[in-house]
Amino acid sequence: MSPATPVIADSPAPEPTSMPAPQMLGLRAVLIILALIEAGLGLSDAPTLFGDMSHIGSGIGAGLVKAHLAAHPVLAVAAIVFAAMGRVRHAIVALGTIIIMAWLNDMPSVVAHGLEFRSAFGAVETTAKVIAFPLIAACAIAYAAHNEHLGRATFLAAVPTLFNLVLLVGFAIGVMIYGF
């Protein structure tokens, strides 16, 4: 007896890693750009690891600072590689981990000196870096882990990087106008 539907034995199954959807190409490009920015920021701090680190101190706070300095460029390069390979979820998690590590890097200073709310700029920066960014990173990582709303997760991972980039450009413009 023959089956009701014909079976074609030589039909190739579609590859699961074939060309990504066009939407994923855009996300990959954005993630690569973000990761390149983070790699630049991380590599600019890397010489501190190879120089005199006596100013960092000792204890758990110094360990967090050293871990951030060492992990930042590694995680950024990992995000570049993941995004280039089409693993958008992994790239988002790597960028979210950079944000969490930056938050942990700031915690020894917050514990020692408290939150700075003396000026409007200090209040905005402190609120963003200490409260908003870790929550944003956690949301981005959760979205990526569940493979949901990857565009939103990419946007969330981009917010802290773009915020830091705007601060850096603003500082550079201020130095150019007023001197150092």
Side-chain angles (χ1 to χ4, degrees):
M1 232 174 153
S2 66
T5 57
V7 176
I8 302 172
D10 294 332
S11 67
E15 282 189 35
T17 58
S18 61
M19 288 298 290
Q23 175 189 14
M24 296 300 261
L25 290 176
L27 290 179
R28 289 169 59 187
V30 169
L31 288 168
I32 288 172
I33 291 168
L34 289 172
L36 285 170
I37 293 168
E38 285 294 339
L41 294 173
L43 289 173
S44 69
D45 292 335
T48 306
L49 284 172
F50 304 109
D52 180 26
M53 295 181 65
S54 63
H55 64 282
I56 293 177
S58 62
I60 192 165
L64 289 171
V65 170
K66 292 172 186 176
H68 170 69
L69 290 173
H72 192 163
V74 173
L75 288 168
V77 170
I80 293 168
V81 170
F82 285 141
M85 290 174 40
R87 298 182 180 268
V88 172
R89 295 174 48 200
H90 296 85
I92 293 169
V93 170
L95 289 172
T97 305
I98 290 172
I99 299 164
I100 298 291
M101 290 293 294
W103 174 71
L104 288 172
N105 180 47
D106 291 339
M107 284 301 100
S109 175
V110 170
V111 169
H113 305 290
L115 297 173
E116 180 189 337
F117 293 119
R118 294 184 191 143
S119 66
F121 175 75
V124 168
E125 183 183 22
T126 300
T127 303
K129 288 188 173 187
V130 174
I131 298 169
F133 290 171
L135 296 174
I136 287 172
C139 289
I141 291 171
Y143 279 141
H146 290 115
N147 200 22
E148 296 176 351
H149 308 289
L150 295 179
R152 189 175 302 158
T154 301
F155 172 75
L156 290 173
V159 168
T161 302
L162 296 178
F163 182 84
N164 290 332
L165 190 63
V166 166
L167 289 181
L168 185 65
V169 168
F171 176 76
I173 290 171
V175 168
M176 288 189 306
I177 292 173
Y178 300 109
F180 193 57

